[in-house]
PDB file of all heavy atoms in Angstrom:
ATOM      1  N   ASN A1334     -34.658  14.061 -28.580  1.00 82.00           N
ATOM      2  CA  ASN A1334     -34.955  15.166 -29.440  1.00 82.00           C
ATOM      3  C   ASN A1334     -34.461  14.738 -30.815  1.00 82.00           C
ATOM      4  O   ASN A1334     -33.133  14.740 -31.071  1.00 82.00           O
ATOM      5  CB  ASN A1334     -34.302  16.431 -28.992  1.00 82.00           C
ATOM      6  CG  ASN A1334     -34.911  16.971 -27.725  1.00 82.00           C
ATOM      7  OD1 ASN A1334     -36.140  16.863 -27.539  1.00 82.00           O
ATOM      8  ND2 ASN A1334     -34.151  17.447 -26.786  1.00 82.00           N
ATOM      9  N   VAL A1335     -35.278  14.463 -31.763  1.00 87.00           N
ATOM     10  CA  VAL A1335     -34.811  13.880 -33.005  1.00 87.00           C
ATOM     11  C   VAL A1335     -34.932  14.934 -34.154  1.00 87.00           C
ATOM     12  O   VAL A1335     -35.891  15.678 -34.222  1.00 87.00           O
ATOM     13  CB  VAL A1335     -35.742  12.659 -33.397  1.00 87.00           C
ATOM     14  CG1 VAL A1335     -35.409  12.170 -34.797  1.00 87.00           C
ATOM     15  CG2 VAL A1335     -35.602  11.568 -32.391  1.00 87.00           C
ATOM     16  N   ASP A1336     -33.872  14.965 -34.977  1.00 86.00           N
ATOM     17  CA  ASP A1336     -33.919  15.814 -36.136  1.00 86.00           C
ATOM     18  C   ASP A1336     -33.561  14.975 -37.339  1.00 86.00           C
ATOM     19  O   ASP A1336     -33.286  13.781 -37.218  1.00 86.00           O
ATOM     20  CB  ASP A1336     -32.979  17.014 -36.063  1.00 86.00           C
ATOM     21  CG  ASP A1336     -31.557  16.667 -35.777  1.00 86.00           C
ATOM     22  OD1 ASP A1336     -31.193  15.500 -36.081  1.00 86.00           O
ATOM     23  OD2 ASP A1336     -30.816  17.490 -35.288  1.00 86.00           O
ATOM     24  N   ALA A1337     -33.611  15.542 -38.539  1.00 86.00           N
ATOM     25  CA  ALA A1337     -33.351  14.780 -39.757  1.00 86.00           C
ATOM     26  C   ALA A1337     -31.998  14.161 -39.785  1.00 86.00           C
ATOM     27  O   ALA A1337     -31.846  13.057 -40.286  1.00 86.00           O
ATOM     28  CB  ALA A1337     -33.529  15.690 -40.984  1.00 86.00           C
ATOM     29  N   SER A1338     -31.025  14.806 -39.196  1.00 91.00           N
ATOM     30  CA  SER A1338     -29.634  14.204 -39.206  1.00 91.00           C
ATOM     31  C   SER A1338     -29.598  12.927 -38.429  1.00 91.00           C
ATOM     32  O   SER A1338     -28.826  11.991 -38.767  1.00 91.00           O
ATOM     33  CB  SER A1338     -28.647  15.232 -38.648  1.00 91.00           C
ATOM     34  OG  SER A1338     -28.889  15.498 -37.243  1.00 91.00           O
ATOM     35  N   THR A1339     -30.409  12.813 -37.374  1.00 93.00           N
ATOM     36  CA  THR A1339     -30.443  11.544 -36.581  1.00 93.00           C
ATOM     37  C   THR A1339     -30.866  10.382 -37.524  1.00 93.00           C
ATOM     38  O   THR A1339     -30.311   9.323 -37.539  1.00 93.00           O
ATOM     39  CB  THR A1339     -31.440  11.664 -35.411  1.00 93.00           C
ATOM     40  OG1 THR A1339     -30.962  12.692 -34.534  1.00 93.00           O
ATOM     41  CG2 THR A1339     -31.481  10.328 -34.673  1.00 93.00           C
ATOM     42  N   GLY A1340     -31.968  10.667 -38.287  1.00 94.00           N
ATOM     43  CA  GLY A1340     -32.463   9.567 -39.191  1.00 94.00           C
ATOM     44  C   GLY A1340     -31.428   9.267 -40.258  1.00 94.00           C
ATOM     45  O   GLY A1340     -31.283   8.095 -40.554  1.00 94.00           O
ATOM     46  N   GLU A1341     -30.793  10.290 -40.784  1.00 95.00           N
ATOM     47  CA  GLU A1341     -29.823  10.020 -41.878  1.00 95.00           C
ATOM     48  C   GLU A1341     -28.618   9.287 -41.324  1.00 95.00           C
ATOM     49  O   GLU A1341     -28.082   8.340 -41.972  1.00 95.00           O
ATOM     50  CB  GLU A1341     -29.341  11.352 -42.469  1.00 95.00           C
ATOM     51  CG  GLU A1341     -30.500  12.014 -43.286  1.00 95.00           C
ATOM     52  CD  GLU A1341     -29.940  13.218 -44.038  1.00 95.00           C
ATOM     53  OE1 GLU A1341     -28.867  13.138 -44.626  1.00 95.00           O
ATOM     54  OE2 GLU A1341     -30.670  14.222 -44.124  1.00 95.00           O
ATOM     55  N   GLN A1342     -28.211   9.544 -40.091  1.00 96.00           N
ATOM     56  CA  GLN A1342     -27.166   8.818 -39.468  1.00 96.00           C
ATOM     57  C   GLN A1342     -27.524   7.306 -39.212  1.00 96.00           C
ATOM     58  O   GLN A1342     -26.706   6.414 -39.390  1.00 96.00           O
ATOM     59  CB  GLN A1342     -26.646   9.455 -38.191  1.00 96.00           C
ATOM     60  CG  GLN A1342     -25.887  10.763 -38.418  1.00 96.00           C
ATOM     61  CD  GLN A1342     -25.553  11.505 -37.165  1.00 96.00           C
ATOM     62  OE1 GLN A1342     -25.929  11.099 -36.039  1.00 96.00           O
ATOM     63  NE2 GLN A1342     -24.748  12.464 -37.295  1.00 96.00           N
ATOM     64  N   LEU A1343     -28.778   7.104 -38.763  1.00 96.00           N
ATOM     65  CA  LEU A1343     -29.126   5.701 -38.559  1.00 96.00           C
ATOM     66  C   LEU A1343     -29.284   4.987 -39.868  1.00 96.00           C
ATOM     67  O   LEU A1343     -28.906   3.762 -39.949  1.00 96.00           O
ATOM     68  CB  LEU A1343     -30.535   5.725 -37.843  1.00 96.00           C
ATOM     69  CG  LEU A1343     -30.489   6.151 -36.350  1.00 96.00           C
ATOM     70  CD1 LEU A1343     -31.889   6.337 -35.788  1.00 96.00           C
ATOM     71  CD2 LEU A1343     -29.689   5.172 -35.540  1.00 96.00           C
ATOM     72  N   LEU A1344     -29.715   5.633 -40.931  1.00 96.00           N
ATOM     73  CA  LEU A1344     -29.755   4.964 -42.197  1.00 96.00           C
ATOM     74  C   LEU A1344     -28.334   4.634 -42.689  1.00 96.00           C
ATOM     75  O   LEU A1344     -28.025   3.672 -43.320  1.00 96.00           O
ATOM     76  CB  LEU A1344     -30.532   5.851 -43.257  1.00 96.00           C
ATOM     77  CG  LEU A1344     -32.052   5.927 -43.018  1.00 96.00           C
ATOM     78  CD1 LEU A1344     -32.645   6.814 -44.113  1.00 96.00           C
ATOM     79  CD2 LEU A1344     -32.697   4.552 -42.983  1.00 96.00           C
ATOM     80  N   GLN A1345     -27.443   5.620 -42.432  1.00 96.00           N
ATOM     81  CA  GLN A1345     -26.025   5.392 -42.768  1.00 96.00           C
ATOM     82  C   GLN A1345     -25.476   4.181 -41.972  1.00 96.00           C
ATOM     83  O   GLN A1345     -24.714   3.332 -42.526  1.00 96.00           O
ATOM     84  CB  GLN A1345     -25.188   6.649 -42.452  1.00 96.00           C
ATOM     85  CG  GLN A1345     -23.704   6.495 -42.854  1.00 96.00           C
ATOM     86  CD  GLN A1345     -22.913   7.738 -42.434  1.00 96.00           C
ATOM     87  OE1 GLN A1345     -23.465   8.821 -42.215  1.00 96.00           O
ATOM     88  NE2 GLN A1345     -21.591   7.572 -42.423  1.00 96.00           N
ATOM     89  N   ALA A1346     -25.829   4.085 -40.754  1.00 96.00           N
ATOM     90  CA  ALA A1346     -25.413   2.946 -39.922  1.00 96.00           C
ATOM     91  C   ALA A1346     -25.961   1.670 -40.545  1.00 96.00           C
ATOM     92  O   ALA A1346     -25.241   0.624 -40.591  1.00 96.00           O
ATOM     93  CB  ALA A1346     -25.979   3.073 -38.488  1.00 96.00           C
ATOM     94  N   GLY A1347     -27.190   1.704 -41.068  1.00 96.00           N
ATOM     95  CA  GLY A1347     -27.723   0.496 -41.740  1.00 96.00           C
ATOM     96  C   GLY A1347     -26.874   0.163 -42.971  1.00 96.00           C
ATOM     97  O   GLY A1347     -26.643  -1.032 -43.219  1.00 96.00           O
ATOM     98  N   ARG A1348     -26.438   1.107 -43.731  1.00 96.00           N
ATOM     99  CA  ARG A1348     -25.615   0.833 -44.852  1.00 96.00           C
ATOM    100  C   ARG A1348     -24.229   0.235 -44.462  1.00 96.00           C
ATOM    101  O   ARG A1348     -23.682  -0.647 -45.148  1.00 96.00           O
ATOM    102  CB  ARG A1348     -25.460   2.099 -45.763  1.00 96.00           C
ATOM    103  CG  ARG A1348     -26.738   2.539 -46.370  1.00 96.00           C
ATOM    104  CD  ARG A1348     -26.567   3.559 -47.450  1.00 96.00           C
ATOM    105  NE  ARG A1348     -26.004   4.810 -47.011  1.00 96.00           N
ATOM    106  CZ  ARG A1348     -26.673   5.824 -46.445  1.00 96.00           C
ATOM    107  NH1 ARG A1348     -28.029   5.696 -46.310  1.00 96.00           N
ATOM    108  NH2 ARG A1348     -26.149   6.905 -46.105  1.00 96.00           N
ATOM    109  N   VAL A1349     -23.715   0.781 -43.356  1.00 96.00           N
ATOM    110  CA  VAL A1349     -22.468   0.227 -42.905  1.00 96.00           C
ATOM    111  C   VAL A1349     -22.624  -1.265 -42.472  1.00 96.00           C
ATOM    112  O   VAL A1349     -21.830  -2.126 -42.800  1.00 96.00           O
ATOM    113  CB  VAL A1349     -21.906   1.054 -41.683  1.00 96.00           C
ATOM    114  CG1 VAL A1349     -20.724   0.378 -41.045  1.00 96.00           C
ATOM    115  CG2 VAL A1349     -21.531   2.466 -42.153  1.00 96.00           C
ATOM    116  N   LEU A1350     -23.718  -1.493 -41.713  1.00 95.00           N
ATOM    117  CA  LEU A1350     -24.031  -2.860 -41.333  1.00 95.00           C
ATOM    118  C   LEU A1350     -24.283  -3.746 -42.542  1.00 95.00           C
ATOM    119  O   LEU A1350     -23.900  -4.905 -42.548  1.00 95.00           O
ATOM    120  CB  LEU A1350     -25.244  -2.890 -40.383  1.00 95.00           C
ATOM    121  CG  LEU A1350     -24.999  -2.303 -39.009  1.00 95.00           C
ATOM    122  CD1 LEU A1350     -26.322  -1.975 -38.318  1.00 95.00           C
ATOM    123  CD2 LEU A1350     -24.175  -3.281 -38.184  1.00 95.00           C
TER     124      LEU A1350
END
Side-chain angles (χ1 to χ4, degrees):
N1334 291 321
V1335 176
D1336 57 22
S1338 66
T1339 300
E1341 292 188 40
Q1342 287 176 352
L1343 289 172
L1344 292 181
Q1345 182 183 344
R1348 294 193 296 275
V1349 172
L1350 288 164

